[in-house]
Amino acid sequence: GDSVTQMEGPVTLSEEAFLTINCTYTATGYPSLFWYVQYPGEGLQLLLKATKADDKGSNKGFEATYRKETTSFHLEKGSVQVSDSAVYFCALKGGSNYKLTFGKGTLLTVNP
Amino acid sequence: ETGVTQSPTHLIKTRGQQVTLRCSSQSGHNTVSWYQQALGQGPQFIFQYYREEENGRGNFPPRFSGLQFPNYSSELNVNALELDDSALYLCASSLDLQGSYGYTFGSGTRLTVV
């Protein structure tokens, strides 16, 4: 079945540091890929998405590129801020599927 | 437009009891999905409702059941609560069955079973 593996946290960075959170997936067909963010006490918010190979999703300075050859969708940001502190989830939705399959999440803490 | 509203935000139940969680979908959204997020884990799909019928189900036992109402709001019912049912329960609504336009998540209900 579908599965998502993302790097385990927690990740602690200083403000303005470069961020990478690795995500790889296993799926049949051509899934859509997502990054969601969860701030303390809140639900999930869509950060970015990509629906086909080589697509780059981007939002709020975050980027991720859908790499079919390596089955990866790594999240990057060039300069993190304290306000980026949250849990980040990589997720996929199979081509003919109706559900999201999530990774375990990565806690990011950014210190001033 | 209003987002997805879940109630209650927190509750504590005793093992063996039954619980009902509620979700109001975003305006115009006809599909509701429920997810269970255990502490330190990613959300796990429970089931989805479309036009008042269960459309798909994850790997959860029958004591997890649901309803969807004509106004597209939904309930999640859990019978015979177990300690492992302690989790954050998330509701997500979408414009269509496939989630073609994305999903809107609520803030969740934190259930603690003691």
Side-chain angles (χ1 to χ4, degrees):
Chain A
D2 297 345
S3 68
V4 174
T5 303
Q6 62 181 102
M7 67 183 283
E8 295 195 12
V11 174
T12 302
L13 297 173
S14 297
E15 206 165 22
E16 299 184 3
F18 183 84
L19 168 71
T20 299
I21 301 177
N22 290 337
C23 171
T24 57
Y25 67 90
T26 301
T28 55
Y30 303 95
S32 295
L33 302 174
F34 307 84
W35 278 100
Y36 280 85
V37 58
Q38 187 173 39
Y39 297 100
E42 298 185 15
L44 299 174
Q45 298 177 25
L46 178 64
L47 182 59
L48 54 84
K49 68 177 183 180
T51 58
K52 60 183 187 297
D54 299 325
D55 268 3
K56 177 185 283 188
S58 61
N59 186 26
K60 299 181 182 179
F62 291 90
E63 293 183 340
T65 301
Y66 188 144
R67 301 286 189 201
K68 189 166 178 63
E69 64 276 12
T70 55
T71 61
S72 65
F73 193 55
H74 305 321
L75 182 68
E76 296 182 337
K77 186 175 185 182
S79 176
V80 294
Q81 305 300 312
V82 172
S83 57
D84 293 328
S85 297
V87 180
Y88 292 80
F89 293 94
C90 184
L92 70 82
K93 188 169 79 71
S96 60
N97 217 336
Y98 41 78
K99 68 174 183 179
L100 291 167
T101 299
F102 289 87
K104 291 187 176 181
T106 302
L107 173 62
L108 170 66
T109 302
V110 180
N111 295 317
Chain B
E1 61 182 23
T2 58
V4 173
T5 304
Q6 293 187 243
S7 62
T9 54
H10 297 82
L11 76 164
I12 300 173
K13 289 287 189 178
T14 302
R15 189 172 49 184
Q17 284 188 315
Q18 179 266 343
V19 69
T20 297
L21 310 182
R22 295 177 174 83
C23 171
S24 294
S25 61
Q26 182 168 322
S27 177
H29 286 194
N30 61 18
T31 304
V32 172
S33 304
W34 286 92
Y35 290 81
Q36 180 195 65
Q37 185 180 6
L39 195 62
Q41 301 295 315
Q44 298 288 319
F45 175 77
I46 303 175
F47 43 53
Q48 180 186 66
Y49 276 83
Y50 173 70
R51 292 187 176 179
E52 303 178 52
E53 292 195 0
E54 185 180 295
N55 178 65
R57 189 177 186 93
N59 189 26
F60 282 82
R63 59 189 185 83
F64 285 77
S65 63
L67 286 172
Q68 187 180 32
F69 300 99
N71 67 354
Y72 305 131
S73 66
S74 177
E75 288 182 353
L76 165 64
N77 300 290
V78 187
N79 294 321
L81 283 167
E82 300 176 0
L83 297 180
D84 284 348
D85 296 333
S86 296
L88 178 68
Y89 288 85
L90 295 167
C91 171
S93 71
S94 53
L95 269 172
D96 64 0
L97 191 59
Q98 292 294 327
S100 304
Y101 304 94
Y103 299 87
T104 302
F105 281 83
S107 297
T109 294
R110 173 74 62 187
L111 171 65
T112 302
V113 182
V114 297

